[in-house]
């Protein structure tokens, strides 16, 4: 169906009008394909430009020592950002622990259990409203709720701020994922005598899982790279994290700190940290997709 | 007897009230709603002194002068609307094109894998790095374009006046790139979720590839694409760091895209750390307005959603 | 699996036990002195591994808020604290000047290696009354230098900052028009110019546009190779920014009891006109004796050995009399 029709096929029996229409449709098809492919490849140009910039500036300082050493002071050379890597892993992990269950279970409720209920409609509105909350407000909220109450900056507070940031993405994409499961599957399951719970756990969720993972990875990618929420909740630390209730380093705050000072070594460290961050998230993404790909 | 027959017991379970999992899901939903409620409460209580002092005038006043305690956010509301609109206008067609490209087999699989890989890498790039890329790469390009446009597109007010590097256009372009991965990934999911039977049905009726895409597949995937757009738009309106670094943060209203502007989120990013007293309250008021704007945008999105769902009702 | 799990358990216990020994101090506040305080933290930890001092820049405003709420062990502010703010702190406040900086006019004019800016021009550029580089006011102060017929592209700060505070404070003192129209604050609205975020944002703005001028901290201009204008001080001399001229300004300052003072318009012949201290904020009373000792040791380190890092990082070392007064204030904390 993609091959262009360049001459009227026999079955049009000299019906010029029909033959012309067929050629026009096929020509239009070709044009649209070309436009679509060109747009896609063209968009790659700025995208590759960013990745190239990160690679070019970040590769020189990349070595194993960045994972084992602590951040260098201003004007010093050497050092690394091992504590920031650990901190980001910790706080994004905490954020996931708080937001993924709430997001996925809510999506299940509003799509499987009571799609038309008042609560479901409220949740849909709420999730979309949450997408527009600036990241800095997530930080301010977590500050008011965790830091002000506990009296100290902590990784817990950072996790809460990131959870609020991730929740709308996970909720909305999970809902879309569940909607994407064909109703035939559900009907077949009920037909076999399964309960709603069994249907959800054994049929619907596994089928929706790849799309849910996409949503989770998108949320994780964003959370790992946001500075403002962590600045007001986890602050920063130049030393290894020893507990979850103290200021904790993170890659995003490190990048923010090091890229806004005039010291060349720290600026370069910021790029290397960006490279490590992008690499880690991409790796996690690939692993998640490999683990949860559709097995048809 | 029903008690001894396992099949009957299973059926009986279905008729019994909500099981633990059902309750858990309900609790999760309630928690999501409660979270937003709590956030709105915190924002409103933080904004209260400013609300009392300025009232509605806060939205219409154009002067933001911290040391005179005179706060008004009209230019920033306009800036938020304009930058997000341009970002979506740029990102939507591109993102949709890429999503279609990734869900159809125009080019061989390795090419598609590579494109998908690049886009997903982009989602992982921190906002600060987008800001830095904007400063090093985008600003010189926009400045060059601006210098050209000021001369050659003279009549159009959108391209008027001295061309700055830190401008509305720069911020919008970078924003478009930031929201592209979200839009693309979720739209692609929506497109691939369209049942195979529908595609095959369309081809069986003699449709060309694009007739199938535009006539059947896209409309079916429309709810997912709209959801992707809303998520992307939300991100665009709420983006703080990159916008703050690129837009020039000016409170002077201007028609020109080549002039510096400001957004509500950028204002927050720029001033929150150093603010105290009434300025903090005013910033929280600005955050509240942003939430309200998001509400309006979502209502509009819902209307679009309802329209597309009416078109494709009963397909699944 | 048994030996592996024992190993893990042992490692965990070892980790846990070592954590109980280091004293942790955390501070948050102004971004201007952040690199210096963080350097002190790293260097002091080498000298005394039992003390780990963290400092993160969140802005003077947020720093004061956190300090008032008792969430941090110490704060930092470019604008010190007002009496009203001090009254809100339960445990009392001791302000200790820790370092100082200069605000420079950095410019981008290829071919113009040295630029004198008279006071009228300093204010006029930011008021928008002086718009071209070859304006007679500027030309008069730069005889023998050909100034191009370019418009002045003004760069300012889009974010709130102590740098803006010090800058506008000085301009308000030297120009009544500036004081009336714009005033002094951490974030002001200039009638002209483009805002960059942070000192680095303004630096980038200046670098990008020939004909640009902006105000940045001395360290940023120096380390980025930006040309800096010589500013006219009250005595009528054009002074280049640098360690010496800044030190001259600070040395002439009379320190009051609470150590809060701004040399708003210094009078000495060799004084650089825009320089200011930045303060560490400590409580008058600390409940934890071990924490207090660690803090006092750290601040003493900063006031003595720490001053040695100031010059290379673009800060001005404190004059000896100020150090003595600071140490005395430190001693009053219990």
């Amino acid at each position: 169906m993609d091959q262009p029709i360049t001459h009227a096929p026999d079955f049009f029996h000299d019906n010029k009008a029909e033959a012309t229409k067929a050629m026009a449709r096929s020509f239009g098809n070709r044009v649209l394909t070309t436009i679509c492919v060109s747009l896609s490849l063209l968009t790659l140009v700025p995208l590759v430009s960013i990745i190239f910039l990160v690679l070019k500036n970040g590769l020189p300082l990349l070595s194993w020592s960045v994972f084992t050493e602590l951040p260098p002071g201003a004007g010093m050379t050497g050092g690394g950002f091992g504590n920031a890597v650990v901190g980001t892993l910790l706080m994004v992990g905490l954020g996931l622990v708080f937001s993924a269950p709430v997001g996925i279970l809510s999506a299940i409720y509003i799509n499987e259990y009571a799609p038309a209920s008042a609560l479901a409609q409220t949740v849909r509105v709420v999730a979309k409203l949450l997408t527009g909350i600036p990241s800095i407000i997530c930080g301010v909220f977590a500050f008011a709720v965790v830091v002000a109450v506990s009296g100290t900056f902590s990784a817990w507070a950072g996790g809460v701020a990131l959870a609020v940031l991730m929740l709308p993405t996970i909720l909305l994409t999970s809902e879309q994922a569940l909607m994407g499961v064909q109703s035939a599957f559900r009907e077949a399951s009920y037909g076999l005598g399964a309960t709603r719970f069994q249907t959800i756990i054994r049929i619907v969720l596994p089928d929706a899982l790849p799309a849910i993972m996409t949503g989770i990875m998108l949320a994780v990618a964003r959370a790992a790279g946001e500075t403002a929420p962590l600045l007001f909740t986890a602050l920063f630390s130049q030393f290894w994290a020893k507990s979850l209730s103290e200021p904790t380093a993170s890659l995003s705050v490190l990048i923010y700190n090091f890229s806004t000072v005039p010291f060349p070594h720290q600026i370069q460290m910021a790029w290397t940290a960006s490279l490590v961050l992008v690499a880690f998230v991409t790796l996690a993404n690939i692993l998640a997709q490999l683990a949860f790909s559709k097995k048809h | 007897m029903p008690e001894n027959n396992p099949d009957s017991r299973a059926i009986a379970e279905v008729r019994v009230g909500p099981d633990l999992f059902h309750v858990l899901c309900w609790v999760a939903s309630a928690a999501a709603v409660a979270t937003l409620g709590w956030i709105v409460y915190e924002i409103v209580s933080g904004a209260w002194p400013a609300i009392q002092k300025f009232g509605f005038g806060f939205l219409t006043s154009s002067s933001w002068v911290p040391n005179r305690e005179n706060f008004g956010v009209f230019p920033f509301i306009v800036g938020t609307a304009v930058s997000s609109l341009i970002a979506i206008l740029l990102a939507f067609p591109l993102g949709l094109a890429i999503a279609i490209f990734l869900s159809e087999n125009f080019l061989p699989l390795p090419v598609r894998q590579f494109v998908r890989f690049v886009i997903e890498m982009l989602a992982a790039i921190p906002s600060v790095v987008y800001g830095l890329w904007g400063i090093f790469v985008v600003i010189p390009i926009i400045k060059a374009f601006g210098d050209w446009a000021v001369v050659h597109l003279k009549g159009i007010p959108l391209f008027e006046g001295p061309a700055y590097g830190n401008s509305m256009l720069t911020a919008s372009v970078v924003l478009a790139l930031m929201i592209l991965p979200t839009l693309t990934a979720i739209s692609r999911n929506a497109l691939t979720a369209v049942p195979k039977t529908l595609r095959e049905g369309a081809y069986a009726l003699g449709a060309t590839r694009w007739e199938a895409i535009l006539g059947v597949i896209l409309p079916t995937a429309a709810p997912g694409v709209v959801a992707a757009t809303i998520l992307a738009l939300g991100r665009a309106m709420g983006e703080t760091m990159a916008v703050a670094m690129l837009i020039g943060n000016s409170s002077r209203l201007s028609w020109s895209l080549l002039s510096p502007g400001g957004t509500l989120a950028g204002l927050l990013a720029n001033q929150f750390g150093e603010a105290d007293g009434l300025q903090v309250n005013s910033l929280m008021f600005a955050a509240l307005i942003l939430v309200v704007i998001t509400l309006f945008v979502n209502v509009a999105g819902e209307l679009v959603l309802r329209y597309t769902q009416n078109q494709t009702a009963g397909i699944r | 699996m048994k030996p592996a799990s024992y190993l893990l358990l042992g490692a965990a216990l070892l980790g846990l036990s070592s954590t109980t020994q280091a004293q942790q101090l955390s501070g948050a506040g102004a971004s201007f002195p952040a690199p210096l305080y963080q350097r002190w933290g790293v260097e002091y930890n080498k000298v005394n591994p039992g003390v780990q001092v963290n400092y993160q820049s969140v802005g003077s405003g947020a720093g004061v808020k956190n300090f008032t709420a008792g969430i941090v062990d110490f704060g930092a502010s470019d604008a010190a604290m007002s009496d009203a703010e001090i009254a809100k702190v339960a445990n009392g406040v001791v302000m200790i000047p820790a370092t100082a900086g200069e605000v420079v006019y950095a410019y981008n004019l290829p071919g113009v290696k040295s630029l004198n800016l008279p006071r009228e021009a300093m204010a006029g550029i930011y008021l928008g009354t002086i718009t071209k580089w070859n304006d007679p006011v500027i030309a008069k102060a730069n005889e023998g230098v050909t100034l191009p017929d370019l418009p002045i592209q003004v760069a300012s700060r889009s974010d709130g900052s102590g740098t803006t505070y010090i800058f506008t404070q000085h301009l308000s003192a030297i120009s009544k028009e500036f004081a009336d129209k714009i005033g002094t604050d951490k974030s002001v609205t200039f009638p002209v110019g483009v805002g960059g975020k942070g000192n680095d944002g303004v630096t980038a703005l200046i670098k990008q546009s020939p004909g640009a001028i902006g105000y940045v901290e001395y360290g940023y201009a120096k380390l980025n190779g930006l040309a800096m204008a010589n500013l006219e001080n009250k005595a009528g001399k054009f002074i280049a920014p640098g360690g010496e001229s800044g030190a001259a300004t600070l040395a002439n300052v009379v320190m009051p009891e609470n150590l809060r003072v701004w040399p708003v318009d210094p009078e000495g012949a060799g004084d650089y006109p825009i320089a200011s201290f930045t303060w560490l904020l400590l409580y008058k009373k600390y409940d934890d004796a071990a924490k207090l000792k660690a803090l006092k040791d750290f601040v003493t380190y900063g006031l003595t050995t720490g001053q040695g890092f100031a010059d290379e990082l673009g800060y001005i070392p404190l004059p000896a009399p100020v150090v003595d007064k600071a140490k005395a204030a430190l001693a009053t904390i219990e």
Side-chain angles (χ1 to χ4, degrees), chain A residues 113-139:
Chain A
Y113 279 111
S117 67
L119 180 59
Q121 292 180 23
T122 315
V123 170
R124 289 192 192 100
V125 170
V126 161
K128 287 170 187 145
L129 275 182
L130 280 172
T131 64
I133 304 246
S135 52
I136 198 171
I137 296 292
C138 297

Side-chain angles (χ1 to χ4, degrees), chain B residues 149-305:
Chain B
V150 169
V151 174
H152 290 89
L153 297 177
K154 206 161 184 169
I156 312 176
L158 280 179
F159 296 108
E160 194 192 294
Y164 292 94
N166 286 39
S167 61
M168 182 63 72
L169 189 58
T170 310
S172 308
V173 165
V174 175
L175 257 184
L177 276 169
M178 289 179 81
I179 63 179
L180 196 65
T182 310
L183 225 158
T184 307
I186 303 177
S187 300
R188 192 202 76 93
N189 275 345
L191 287 166
T192 49
V194 171
K196 255 186 153 189
T197 49
L198 272 176
R199 284 171 202 262
E200 288 158 7
Y203 296 142
L205 286 173
T208 61
R209 170 97 67 153
W210 276 95
E211 283 167 355
I213 293 176
L214 294 173
V216 177
I217 297 176
L218 259 188
T220 314
V225 173
V226 172
T229 311
I230 292 184
L231 257 179
L233 195 55
R235 170 101 193 253
M237 291 195 296
E239 176 54 42
T240 49
M241 202 56 86
V243 169
M245 292 166 81
L246 297 170
I247 204 170
N249 217 82
S250 156
S251 56
R252 278 168 267 139
L253 266 177
S254 163
W255 276 111
S256 172
L257 292 177
L258 299 169
S259 294
T263 64
L264 290 167
L267 182 70
L268 274 164
N270 269 325
Q271 303 208 342
F272 200 82
E274 288 290 349
D276 45 20
L278 192 62
Q279 195 176 357
V280 177
N281 303 124
S282 305
L283 288 172
M284 295 301 270
F285 196 178
L288 184 62
I289 293 174
L290 190 54
V291 174
V292 173
I293 294 179
T294 314
L295 184 64
F296 283 143
V297 166
N298 283 318
V299 168
E302 282 299 317
L303 292 174
V304 175
L305 205 63

Side-chain angles (χ1 to χ4, degrees), chain C residues 40 56 93 116 149 163 175-176 183 188 201 212 238 240 246 249 256-257 267 269 275 277 313:
Chain C
W40 288 354
Q56 172 61 36
V93 178
N116 291 336
D149 184 25
T163 311
S175 158
K176 189 170 182 313
V188 297
F238 290 95
T249 314
E257 178 75 47
E267 303 180 337
F277 294 106
L313 300 182

Side-chain angles (χ1 to χ4, degrees), chain A residues 73-88:
Chain A
M76 295 166 75
T77 54
F81 40 82
N83 60 340
V85 173
V86 170
T88 295

Side-chain angles (χ1 to χ4, degrees), chain A residues 2 25 29 33 36 40 47 49-50 106 109 113 119 128 131 134-135 176 179 183 221-222 274 277 282 285 289, chain B residues 21 26 28-29 97 116 120-123 126 129 133 177 206 209-211 224 231 235 240 290 298 302 316:
Chain A
D2 280 341
R25 282 171 61 205
N29 195 53
T33 305
C36 180
S40 307
L47 311 192
S49 149
I50 304 179
S106 302
Y109 182 80
Y113 279 111
L119 180 59
K128 287 170 187 145
T131 64
S135 52
Q176 288 304 313
M179 276 167 63
S183 47
R222 178 155 182 215
S274 307
L277 181 59
T282 309
N285 200 353
Q289 283 183 21
Chain B
F21 188 67
W26 184 93
S29 306
R116 192 170 159 192
E120 281 170 0
M121 268 229 281
L122 277 176
V129 174
W133 176 74
L177 276 169
R209 170 97 67 153
W210 276 95
E211 283 167 355
L231 257 179
R235 170 101 193 253
T240 49
L290 190 54
N298 283 318
E302 282 299 317
R316 232 175 278 283

Side-chain angles (χ1 to χ4, degrees), chain C residues 286-320:
Chain C
Y286 281 83
D287 295 323
D288 185 336
K291 196 172 258 197
L292 178 57
K293 176 170 187 325
L295 190 58
K296 277 191 175 176
D297 290 342
F298 171 68
V299 176
T300 310
Y301 175 83
L303 289 173
T304 50
T305 324
Q307 296 296 313
F309 303 119
D311 192 55
E312 87 183 74
L313 300 182
Y315 300 91
I316 308 175
L318 294 177

Side-chain angles (χ1 to χ4, degrees), chain A residues 236-249:
Chain A
F236 190 71
S237 163
Q238 318 210 178
F239 308 98
W240 294 102
K242 296 195 203 82
S243 93
L244 292 173
S245 305
E246 60 184 41
T248 310

